[in-house]
Each structure stands twice: as structure tokens, then as C-alpha cells.
Amino acid sequence: MNMQTKHTADATTVEEGLAIAEAQDRLYNDEMATETAMANTLLTPRFYTTDFDELDAIDVSGVREDWDKLIAQMEADPNRGHFKKNEDWDTVDWDGMDPDLKKEFIDFLISSCTAEFSGCVLYKEMKRRGNNKDITQLFQLMARDEARHAGFINDALREAGLRVNLGFLTQKKKYTYFRPKFIYYATYLSEKIGYARYITIFRHLEAHPEHRFHPIFKWFREWCNDEFSHGEAFALLMKTDPKLTQSATNKLWIKFFLTAVYATMYVRDHQRPAFHKALGVDPDWYAHEVFTKTSELSEQIFPLTLDIDHPKWQPTLEALQKANVDLADAVENKQAMKKIGAQLRAAKSFATLFFIPSKKNVVPENTRLEPVY
Ligand SMILES: [Fe+2]
Ligand SMILES: [Fe+2]
């Protein structure tokens, strides 16, 4: 293990991670990876900012018992030593990898790294701006985890001669403003769906190790437990104010975010056929599996779940995905009419998904869950 690898994996604070990233800038110049991470489209991971004062004003005393347990668990830091390459990290034959697979896998790593880092930047900013001890403590712990996750993926990318310039991303990527309640819905969901995605791949490869074409998948189980805890924290934050999940308007917003997050995942994953083939995973099966797990988990706090078994659900997702392929094609070939047609079809498909009646859910008294998949 070289020193840089060790340092990155050891980084426990974002500041350290950023300092290392800056030092690495002098050693690597990987414009391609950073450009990919910089791209802002509907489908690429975004950077967020919010009303930090409103977040700082949250009073967690109503959920104190669960809160303290969760924080104690995160402070104990069971994954302190996890994000390091060890003897389980097999040599990766990047040069011998099928070119389509290599391209899609790198795209997967870059977009995962960007998503992890986007969480890190948001959490760190909350920690920096807040005065509320409960809130700043939680966000510091979550930023620590996301910095490790992003750093570890960057380590994997470096072996392929690439690296996402995290320091540059922080300064230059566009930030999208979301009101705090939208941050809760979106971030809660992205943490829980992140958990469901990582654990589904991990369990699948446990049963079919011959498909494990890269060692990073071996790290997914402990990794997804971090995401699980982050999701638990957001569930508790939402629980402090019942209006957030019970008012009629907010129920619609929750349905909107569920639909957007599920649809985005479906479309994005279908852009990587070679990657899923190498994993031995049918992306339709995978999507359904991840949606099922995420829906079950989100019943801890959301008053509704999407009806993913409704007869219109799967065909409409497929239509949305097809519209997205046509849209990308029209943009590439500068076909204005085709582009408008594809956008309209995509919007119509999204609306169809959104208006499928959802299933009511009675939120349990005790929201806390443990990772069981
Ligand atoms: Fe993460
Ligand atoms: Fe996370």
C-alpha cells in the first residue's frame, strides 16, 4: 500500500480529505474524470445547498432516546478501518477489461464518487454553519463517512489512471438550492436507496462470486451500513415535525420524490448494459429488487409507498427510458424536433408514473430500523 492510498483511506475529516485531494492535484491531471463529474444533467448526481439556519433550529428532544443511540453507534465508528485496500483487494486487469465494460464501470465509479462527495460537501457545510450541538455532531459524523466513501472510490479510479478532482468539484460544480424539507426527502431516500443498491449487489455477488469483476464490491456490506445509519438520522429528523410527513401537500411532495428517485435510478442503470451483464444482473430485476427494499424501509417514516406492481409501472418506466435514449440521440445529432418530441414523451411518462395511485402506509410508533437484508 503506498502512502497516498493509506492517507486517503485514513482521512477522517473532510478538511483532511480536501487537503489530500489538493496535494494529489499536483500529481495527477485527470480532466476526463472531473469533467464527467462536473456534468450537470437531470441524471447526474448534483450538489445541494439549503437554508442551514432552519436546519440548525431543529429540536431533537422529542426523539432523544433514539437519537442518542444512533449517535453513539456512529461515534463508535465500527467502519474506522474498513475503507482501506488490504489483501482482499485483488489486482484489477484494467487493460484486459472489455472496452464497453470498462467505459461503463468507470462511469459508474465516477458518478458514485460524485454522489458520495456531494453528500460530504452538504453535510460538512451544515456542520460548519450550525450552532446546534445535536445537528452539527450528526452532520460531522456523516461528512466523515462520505469523505471516506468518496476517497475509497477515488483510490479505485486511480488504478485505472483516473481521478475525480474533489477540490475542484467543490469550487466549480453548480449547487442546487433545496428547501430543508426537500433535502430531508431527497437525502433520506438517496441514503436508503443507496443502502438497498449496495446490499443487493453484495448479496448477489456473494451467491455468484464468478461475476465479481472488481474487488470494490467486497467492501459494499459495511459501506451500505453507513448509508443505512445516515438514512436513520434523516428519518429521525423528519420525525421531529409530524407535518413534514403528514400534511396533504407534503404527501404529494413525498410521492414526487419517490417517483423521481426511482425513475432516475431506472433510466441511469439502463444506460449501463455491459456493466450489468458483467455482474450477471438483469437491470429490470435489480431495479424491482431495489425498489422493493427501499419501499419497505421507507415505510418507517413515509405515509405512502409507490405501487411498483401496478400494471402501468414497468411499461411506463420502459417508455421513459426509451424517451431518454431518443433524447440523448437527438441532442447528439442536433435534431430539434426529435428532441422536443422525446422531452414531451419523457414528461408524459413521468406524469403517468406520478399519477399511479400510491399505497397508504400507517407509520409505526417506533421508526428505528436495523439493516437486515
Ligand atoms: Fe456514502
Ligand atoms: Fe450516506
Side-chain angles (χ1 to χ4, degrees), residues 112 115-117 142 145-147 149-150 191 198 223 226-227 230:
S112 305
E116 298 283 6
F117 195 62
M142 294 197 298
D145 294 345
E146 307 300 14
H149 300 167
E191 297 288 0
Y198 285 151
W223 192 321
D226 284 346
E227 314 303 6
H230 304 166

Coordinates of all heavy atoms in Angstrom, one line a residue, residues 112 115-117 142 145-147 149-150 191 198 223 226-227 230, ligand 1:
S112 N -20.7 7.5 -8.8 CA -20.8 7.1 -7.4 C -19.9 8.0 -6.5 O -20.3 8.5 -5.4 CB -20.4 5.7 -7.1 OG -21.1 4.8 -7.9
A115 N -21.6 11.4 -6.2 CA -22.7 11.3 -5.3 C -22.3 11.3 -3.8 O -22.8 12.0 -3.0 CB -23.6 10.1 -5.6
E116 N -21.3 10.4 -3.5 CA -20.7 10.4 -2.2 C -20.2 11.7 -1.8 O -20.4 12.2 -0.6 CB -19.6 9.3 -2.1 CG -19.9 7.9 -2.4 CD -20.7 7.2 -1.3 OE1 -21.0 7.9 -0.3 OE2 -20.9 6.0 -1.4
F117 N -19.5 12.3 -2.7 CA -18.8 13.6 -2.3 C -19.8 14.7 -2.2 O -19.7 15.6 -1.4 CB -17.7 14.0 -3.4 CG -16.8 15.0 -2.9 CD1 -16.0 14.9 -1.8 CD2 -16.8 16.3 -3.5 CE1 -15.2 15.9 -1.3 CE2 -16.0 17.3 -3.1 CZ -15.2 17.1 -1.9
M142 N -21.6 12.2 9.6 CA -22.0 11.8 8.2 C -21.0 12.3 7.2 O -20.6 11.5 6.2 CB -23.4 12.3 7.9 CG -24.5 11.6 8.7 SD -26.1 11.8 8.1 CE -26.4 13.6 8.1
D145 N -18.0 9.9 7.1 CA -18.3 8.7 6.3 C -18.2 8.9 4.8 O -17.6 8.2 4.1 CB -19.7 8.1 6.7 CG -19.8 7.6 8.1 OD1 -18.7 7.5 8.7 OD2 -20.9 7.4 8.6
E146 N -18.9 10.0 4.4 CA -19.0 10.2 2.9 C -17.6 10.6 2.4 O -17.3 10.2 1.2 CB -20.0 11.3 2.6 CG -21.4 11.2 3.1 CD -22.1 9.9 2.7 OE1 -21.5 9.0 2.1 OE2 -23.3 9.8 2.9
A147 N -16.8 11.3 3.2 CA -15.4 11.6 2.7 C -14.6 10.3 2.5 O -13.9 10.1 1.5 CB -14.7 12.5 3.7
H149 N -15.9 7.3 1.8 CA -16.5 6.6 0.7 C -16.0 7.2 -0.6 O -15.5 6.5 -1.5 CB -18.1 6.7 0.7 CG -18.7 6.1 1.9 ND1 -20.0 6.3 2.2 CD2 -18.2 5.4 2.9 CE1 -20.3 5.7 3.4 NE2 -19.2 5.1 3.8
A150 N -16.0 8.5 -0.7 CA -15.6 9.2 -2.0 C -14.1 8.9 -2.2 O -13.6 8.6 -3.3 CB -15.8 10.7 -1.9
E191 N -30.1 8.0 0.7 CA -29.3 7.2 1.6 C -29.9 5.8 1.7 O -29.2 4.8 1.6 CB -29.3 7.7 3.0 CG -28.6 9.1 3.2 CD -27.1 9.0 3.1 OE1 -26.6 7.9 2.9 OE2 -26.5 10.1 3.2
Y198 N -26.4 -1.1 -2.8 CA -25.1 -1.7 -2.4 C -25.4 -3.1 -1.8 O -24.7 -4.1 -2.2 CB -24.4 -0.9 -1.4 CG -23.7 0.4 -1.9 CD1 -23.6 1.5 -1.1 CD2 -23.2 0.5 -3.2 CE1 -22.9 2.7 -1.5 CE2 -22.6 1.6 -3.6 CZ -22.4 2.7 -2.8 OH -21.8 3.9 -3.2
W223 N -20.0 -0.8 4.0 CA -20.3 0.5 3.3 C -21.7 0.9 3.4 O -22.1 2.0 3.9 CB -19.9 0.4 1.9 CG -19.8 1.6 1.0 CD1 -20.6 2.7 1.0 CD2 -18.8 1.8 0.0 NE1 -20.1 3.6 0.1 CE2 -19.0 3.0 -0.6 CE3 -17.7 1.0 -0.5 CZ2 -18.3 3.6 -1.6 CZ3 -16.9 1.5 -1.5 CH2 -17.2 2.8 -2.0
D226 N -23.2 2.2 6.6 CA -23.0 3.6 6.9 C -24.2 4.4 6.3 O -24.8 5.2 6.9 CB -21.8 4.2 6.2 CG -20.5 3.8 6.9 OD1 -20.6 3.4 8.1 OD2 -19.4 4.0 6.4
E227 N -24.6 4.0 5.0 CA -25.7 4.7 4.4 C -27.0 4.5 5.1 O -27.8 5.3 5.3 CB -25.9 4.3 2.9 CG -24.6 4.2 2.1 CD -23.8 5.5 2.0 OE1 -24.1 6.5 2.6 OE2 -22.8 5.5 1.2
H230 N -27.1 6.8 8.0 CA -27.5 8.2 7.6 C -29.0 8.3 7.3 O -29.6 9.3 7.7 CB -26.7 8.5 6.3 CG -25.2 8.4 6.4 ND1 -24.3 8.4 5.4 CD2 -24.4 8.2 7.5 CE1 -23.1 8.3 5.8 NE2 -23.1 8.1 7.1
Ligands
FE1 FE -21.8 7.2 1.3

